[in-house]
Amino acid sequence: MKRNSSLFVSILVVLTLLLTACSGGNKEKAGNKSETTEPKAGGTLIYGRGADSIGLDPINITDGESIRVTHNIFETLFVYDDKLKLQPKLAESHKVSEDGLTWTLTLKKGVKFQDGTDFNADAVVFNFDRWMDPQNPYHKGDFPYYPFLYGGFKGDPNHKIASVKAVDESTVEITLTEKTAPFLSYLAIPMFGIASPDAIKKYGDKFYEHPVGTGPFKFESWSRNDKVVLKKNENYYVDGQPYLDEMIFRVIPDNSSRLTALQSGEVDIIDGLNPDDADTIKANSQLSLIKRPSFNTGFMVFNTQMAPFDNVKVRQAINMAINKQELIDAFYNGYAEVAKNPFPSSLWGYNDAIEDYKYDVEAAKKLLAEAGFPDGFKTELWTMSNPRPYLPQPLKIAEAMQANLKAIGIDAEIKTYEWATYLQKTGEGEHPMALYGWTGVMADPDNFLFPNLSNTNIEKPASNRAFYNNEEFTMLLQQARTTFNQDERINLYKQAQEIFHQDAPWVTIGHTTPPMGLAGYVKGFKAHPMENDNFAEVYLTN
């Protein structure tokens, strides 16, 4: 998920904020450009990435490689701007009742889906009905994000949505069963992109291969493990956008091969750089290097329901045994800082008073002996095969952690899988320890904590890959969801981080500012902290 969320920030990036008022018909004027050159229409942009998408139906994904594509096809009711503040998108405005339960959304008028059908209140209701009702004929798949945001599905005792109804063509009324402080933030999560009802009816359970939204690019084709091709949406409602005729997301698993493709002109933009390769890009006058502002956490999860990781002393000992600063220095080339909490310090609610586990081999050995393992034990350390924004060199990081563990008597065999298999197997809880990470999809601590650590998300396939089950911790998260007072929410999240630190279900590693490489002729690209990059404003000068 898209998979695959935590919620806010002060970050250095420039992004177009709001679409300005309509000018004739249903087209909106594009915002001011930061580029000094006049945007040029036409051309194909090829984006080199490390892994393929899992699917292209946003409600059924949690992984970043899927979201990277679907974010250009679908749009949400609200969106985060460059400072991670909520702004309207397909919704123009909102109001909430005095009791905090009923939210009334006024929708943008004159917007069409890419199949030519109308975006309106009925379309929004159709999408919600599909998302929340397991009896709906188009509710096909796991819909992983929905239940942990809304307390389950329709018919479940804790389901938070009482009703969703169209008041008129451009007004939707959503009534909740309890106050939900981050509700508007939920509507900005890319997984809740509004899809064409007609297309869903047409393609059924194959909609993930035939996505249709309101975004600037429309789906053309998908060759598995090779490329996804998007074409310009000629009827996009922002005047003049997108500038590109075509976008291709091409899979190049090896980092070095991806850099070579950029240097040779085979691709125009890449992510997943080896940190050292950033220097190569900076030295090339034909290329540009940019850093994505940090809004992620890389970590290693313990399967806390599997022995010996059900023993907190074992987990704490391993936290002491991992030399995190050495990992950052060796494998991130200055593009990360050591993590001590489950979300970055740029997000409100961060508990800076917590003292990280100190790297101390002897103390780790002593604690491991107290846990009943004076001679250590054998286990497995899992890692993905492809780079992730929060783990640019996963195999090398795993090997360094393997050496750290060996120093306290733990013999960890490294096992690796390609991305889709990795997500599936860790979701089923087959791993003892596994490298993982998270890029926030909304600027609220809830998005980092609830999906990854709430005990409501340990049912397989689990998003809580530590299978961490602490009732007090989850209660604090749930209380924060129903509290509108910001200071009270901050206090609740700080308490939750203290429990997390003590229980140690993860070894937090780092928060990265992932470097990206671009050809010099690529203009208008701004790296969004959440990876919600707006390619509608990108153009080529070659």
Side-chain angles (χ1 to χ4, degrees), residues 94-120:
H94 78 281
K95 60 181 180 179
V96 60
S97 60
E98 289 187 11
D99 62 8
L101 297 179
T102 300
W103 300 74
T104 303
L105 311 179
T106 300
L107 307 180
K108 194 181 299 295
K109 297 178 181 178
V111 176
K112 297 278 188 181
F113 288 105
Q114 293 146 0
D115 58 6
T117 58
D118 291 333
F119 164 77
N120 52 30

Side-chain angles (χ1 to χ4, degrees), residues 61-210:
I61 58 176
T62 61
D63 67 296
E65 294 299 355
S66 297
I67 296 167
R68 191 183 313 286
V69 178
T70 61
H71 183 69
N72 292 279
I73 301 170
F74 298 89
E75 294 177 313
T76 47
L77 294 168
F78 291 82
V79 70
Y80 281 102
D81 66 19
D82 62 311
K83 294 180 174 59
L84 299 186
K85 300 296 183 183
L86 273 174
Q87 304 289 359
K89 189 63 175 177
L90 289 176
E92 285 190 333
S93 63
H94 78 281
K95 60 181 180 179
V96 60
S97 60
E98 289 187 11
D99 62 8
L101 297 179
T102 300
W103 300 74
T104 303
L105 311 179
T106 300
L107 307 180
K108 194 181 299 295
K109 297 178 181 178
V111 176
K112 297 278 188 181
F113 288 105
Q114 293 146 0
D115 58 6
T117 58
D118 291 333
F119 164 77
N120 52 30
D122 287 336
V124 173
V125 172
F126 179 94
N127 276 264
F128 267 94
D129 285 345
R130 178 192 181 222
W131 298 336
M132 69 183 180
D133 187 359
Q135 302 305 313
N136 186 291
Y138 306 108
H139 185 96
K140 305 291 186 181
D142 295 328
F143 291 52
Y145 244 86
Y146 188 90
F148 65 67
L149 290 179
Y150 294 109
F153 293 107
K154 184 176 181 180
D156 293 337
N158 296 319
H159 185 226
K160 290 185 179 183
I161 294 186
S163 65
V164 181
K165 63 182 182 181
V167 177
D168 56 40
E169 189 173 282
S170 59
T171 308
V172 175
E173 184 180 274
I174 303 173
T175 301
L176 308 180
T177 60
E178 64 179 35
K179 292 182 180 180
T180 304
F183 176 65
L184 288 184
S185 295
Y186 295 172
L187 302 181
I189 294 176
M191 291 75 171
F192 294 94
I194 303 298
S196 161
D198 279 22
I200 291 171
K201 293 173 185 177
K202 178 179 179 180
Y203 296 110
D205 59 4
K206 296 295 183 182
F207 180 72
Y208 75 101
E209 294 180 332
H210 304 278

Side-chain angles (χ1 to χ4, degrees), residues 254-407:
D254 180 69
N255 290 13
S256 297
S257 298
R258 207 174 313 116
L259 174 61
T260 299
L262 178 67
Q263 291 171 312
S264 67
E266 293 178 43
V267 301
D268 308 301
I269 180 171
I270 62 173
D271 62 13
L273 286 168
N274 291 322
D276 290 345
D277 291 340
D279 295 333
T280 302
I281 291 176
K282 285 193 287 187
N284 188 329
S285 62
Q286 303 301 309
L287 304 177
S288 299
L289 181 78
I290 60 173
K291 292 195 298 183
R292 188 181 297 282
S294 181
F295 200 59
N296 61 41
T297 305
F299 50 89
M300 180 182 76
V301 296
F302 300 104
N303 188 334
T304 61
Q305 294 185 357
M306 182 183 293
F309 306 109
D310 55 351
N311 187 321
V312 66
K313 288 187 176 181
V314 171
R315 302 195 299 267
Q316 291 173 340
I318 292 176
N319 266 274
M320 294 177 184
I322 302 300
N323 191 335
K324 295 195 283 188
Q325 187 62 60
E326 195 172 78
L327 294 178
I328 297 298
D329 293 343
F331 304 116
Y332 291 81
N333 196 28
Y335 294 99
E337 62 180 19
V338 169
K340 66 178 181 179
N341 289 328
F343 58 84
S345 60
S346 54
L347 184 56
W348 60 271
Y350 183 83
N351 191 339
D352 200 31
I354 288 173
E355 292 187 16
D356 200 5
Y357 287 96
K358 183 180 179 181
Y359 173 61
D360 190 331
V361 173
E362 293 308 314
K365 287 181 178 179
K366 181 180 178 181
L367 195 56
L368 202 59
E370 291 177 13
F373 300 94
D375 300 318
F377 54 86
K378 291 186 177 183
T379 188
E380 294 174 353
L381 171 57
W382 288 26
T383 182
M384 66 287 288
S385 59
N386 55 291
R388 306 303 305 146
Y390 37 75
L391 292 168
Q393 302 182 82
L395 184 57
K396 290 183 178 180
I397 292 169
E399 290 170 346
M401 296 180 80
Q402 180 186 48
N404 285 161
L405 293 170
K406 190 72 172 177

Side-chain angles (χ1 to χ4, degrees), residues 19 27 58 69-76 89-90 111-117 119 193-196 211-219 230-238 241-242 244 247 533-537:
L19 305 174
K27 294 265 185 177
V69 178
T70 61
H71 183 69
N72 292 279
I73 301 170
F74 298 89
E75 294 177 313
T76 47
K89 189 63 175 177
L90 289 176
V111 176
K112 297 278 188 181
F113 288 105
Q114 293 146 0
D115 58 6
T117 58
F119 164 77
I194 303 298
S196 161
V212 179
T214 62
F217 293 93
K218 58 185 179 181
F219 176 76
L230 307 183
K231 296 287 188 179
K232 177 177 182 174
N233 178 5
E234 299 285 356
N235 297 314
Y236 191 52
Y237 57 89
V238 181
Q241 292 184 3
L244 297 167
M247 281 192 68
D533 302 322
N534 179 13
F535 284 97
E537 298 190 328

